[in-house]
Amino acid sequence: MTLVPRKRRWFIIFIIFLAIVFNYFDRQIVSILKPIIKDEYNLGDDGYALILNIFTVCYAIMYPVSGWLVDKFGAKKVMFAGIIGWSVACIGGGISKTFGQFTFFRGLLGMAEPTNFPAQLKVITVWFPGKLRATANSLCVAGSSIGAIIAPPLVAWLAITYNWQMVFIVAGITGLIIALLWITIYRAPPPSIVAESVEITETAFTWRQLWTRKSLWGILLIRLVSDPVWYFCLFWLPGYLQEESGLSLVQMGMFGWIPFLVADLGAIGTSVWSDWMVRKGKAPLKARRIMLTTVAAVAPLCILTPYLTHPFATLAIFSIVAVACLSWLFTISVVIAEAFPVKNVASVLGIAGGFGALGAVLFNYFTGQFMGTIGTEKIFIAMAFLHPIAVLILWTMVKQEKPKIA
């Protein structure tokens, strides 16, 4: 396809958007079908948490590896392999006959899915200048919440019309089509685009040097403490709405997408706001800090959830909380792109994503063990403090990092 570079980059963003839509759709299937899958395999909440953690542990392990692979071999090859891998895993989940087979393919899904985000950040960094980067990034990764938006109605319709296995098979076939689009459209940026988008320098941190940077540890801690709230929205909220708030699978299909739509629109809006501050002369990192601090102020609203008597009140609260979660996920990637050399951004995001998934593993275990014992209010109290802690880390540990030129 013959496209001028400034048009091609928006086609590239669109394909990444589609890939992330179905990346998140794939991982959401289990949460929406939680009651059915628990009955299918005779599981309790601890067994359901085991399924989540097999996926999430594999995801956490492979995220840093994926970042290194992207920096080493490039976004095009690594993202293509990842999309193929997670599509095959999805189809495998649909044809599994035993619990062991099903969990194996969820593990494979966890190993393949992390390739998407380091590749996406590398593409954003080299194809877009700073004044457009947060907006382009938010439009690109808006696919995460769009996937969560379309999942409840589409999963419910496929499961009710056909069976739960068909949901996985359709998702996998769709992923294979997206992989073909990606390998056809993506090209490396020409020198004119690279010069506009990134500082031309050959200097970068070595892998060992990265671990000595205070900002890296700040980013890792931010993801470790803030990611679990978003994972709760993805993996536990749909089941909570059915098992605790009384929504049926049909009602989940009708209304379960609402928090993710609000989150998507809100997070795109906050990203545009931070870019606007940059265009008005605010230092990029300071603009991101101001925006993230502002949205973190609403995250503690989740503490009200156990005391709400109507499921739509829970949906309303988590619509607001999800805006904070997604704003942080969108913009921490931009902070990485602006704080580290371009040759390190995929590796840093990969390491950070692994720590975020580790936080989710610990929180999944905590939730699975204690949801029915200590009471859900303790879980929501814990979540209420996580984003405020992330704010403190952002302001005290993260700054622009530049290697010394020998």
Side-chain angles (χ1 to χ4, degrees):
M1 181 180 291
T2 303
L3 292 169
V4 297
R6 282 178 175 78
K7 288 186 178 179
R8 181 180 293 276
R9 65 186 177 188
W10 294 108
F11 277 91
I12 291 169
I13 290 298
F14 178 67
I15 296 170
I16 296 175
F17 167 81
L18 288 178
I20 295 177
V21 166
F22 282 91
N23 181 293
Y24 265 73
F25 179 89
D26 294 350
R27 70 179 72 179
Q28 275 292 90
I29 295 171
V30 166
S31 64
I32 296 164
L33 297 178
K34 178 186 175 185
I36 295 174
I37 290 173
K38 285 171 66 178
D39 287 343
E40 180 77 16
Y41 296 115
N42 194 26
L43 304 174
D45 278 332
D46 55 345
Y48 174 71
L50 175 63
I51 293 176
L52 296 185
N53 275 347
I54 287 172
F55 166 85
T56 314
V57 167
C58 292
Y59 192 80
I61 292 170
M62 282 303 297
Y63 220 137
V65 176
S66 297
W68 178 83
L69 288 172
V70 170
D71 279 334
K72 182 75 173 177
F73 299 106
K76 183 175 184 176
K77 293 178 182 178
V78 176
M79 188 165 169
F80 177 71
I83 299 173
I84 294 292
W86 84 58
S87 300
V88 170
C90 235
I91 294 171
I95 62 176
S96 295
K97 301 300 183 184
T98 67
F99 179 69
Q101 292 171 358
F102 185 78
T103 53
F104 168 81
F105 283 111
R106 293 309 287 181
L108 180 60
L109 185 75
M111 295 182 71
E113 284 202 342
T115 56
N116 213 37
F117 296 99
Q120 167 261 321
L121 182 59
K122 177 73 81 170
V123 170
I124 291 292
T125 304
V126 299
W127 273 96
F128 288 87
K131 63 184 179 182
L132 290 174
R133 193 168 287 149
T135 302
N137 184 72
S138 66
L139 291 173
C140 183
V141 298
S144 59
S145 50
I146 296 296
I149 289 166
I150 68 172
L154 186 53
V155 169
W157 179 78
L158 286 170
I160 291 168
T161 305
Y162 300 99
N163 51 57
W164 67 267
Q165 292 91 342
M166 183 60 67
V167 182
F168 290 92
I169 294 170
V170 169
I173 292 171
T174 304
L176 296 176
I177 296 169
I178 294 170
L180 179 61
L181 287 173
W182 171 254
I183 203 70
T184 302
I185 294 294
Y186 187 77
R187 301 285 186 277
S192 60
I193 292 291
V194 174
E196 176 188 66
S197 303
V198 300
E199 180 182 352
I200 304 300
T201 176
E202 294 299 317
T203 60
F205 295 108
T206 65
W207 182 263
R208 179 177 294 180
Q209 289 172 335
L210 274 178
W211 291 96
T212 68
R213 311 318 300 167
K214 185 178 180 181
S215 295
L216 175 66
W217 287 102
I219 295 290
L220 302 189
L221 290 173
I222 286 169
R223 292 293 300 264
L224 182 72
V225 301
S226 63
D227 276 25
V229 185
W230 180 241
Y231 277 92
F232 182 90
C233 293
L234 293 174
F235 292 155
W236 291 95
L237 182 60
Y240 180 87
L241 289 167
Q242 293 176 74
E243 296 175 338
E244 302 291 333
S245 298
L247 292 185
S248 67
L249 181 58
V250 173
Q251 289 172 319
M252 269 302 301
M254 294 172 63
F255 306 112
W257 52 269
I258 292 173
F260 302 103
L261 175 61
V262 175
D264 214 15
L265 297 175
I268 291 173
T270 57
S271 297
V272 171
W273 175 36
S274 71
D275 274 349
W276 177 83
M277 286 190 280
V278 174
R279 289 196 295 273
K280 290 295 182 180
K282 193 81 69 179
L285 185 55
K286 187 173 183 180
R288 316 307 179 196
R289 282 172 171 166
I290 291 170
M291 183 276 283
L292 291 173
T293 302
T294 303
V295 299
V298 304
L301 287 173
C302 66
I303 204 169
L304 301 174
T305 306
Y307 309 105
L308 302 174
T309 58
H310 199 285
F312 292 103
T314 302
L315 284 169
I317 287 292
F318 267 92
S319 294
I320 299 170
V321 172
V323 171
C325 293
L326 212 56
S327 295
W328 274 77
L329 279 175
F330 283 7
T331 301
I332 283 298
S333 297
V334 179
V335 169
I336 291 170
E338 293 171 343
F340 289 90
V342 65
K343 290 186 177 181
N344 294 129
V345 294
S347 293
V348 173
L349 182 66
I351 300 166
F355 269 69
L358 174 62
V361 169
L362 297 174
F363 201 77
N364 284 339
Y365 177 80
F366 172 77
T367 304
Q369 292 296 312
F370 300 119
M371 178 75 85
T373 55
I374 66 171
T376 55
E377 66 275 4
K378 304 293 194 309
I379 296 168
F380 290 109
I381 289 171
M383 284 198 294
F385 287 97
L386 297 180
H387 279 92
I389 292 170
V391 170
L392 294 176
I393 297 169
L394 177 64
W395 283 93
T396 57
M397 295 185 68
V398 180
K399 63 182 181 66
Q400 188 174 24
E401 300 281 2
K402 290 187 177 181
K404 293 180 180 179
I405 301 176

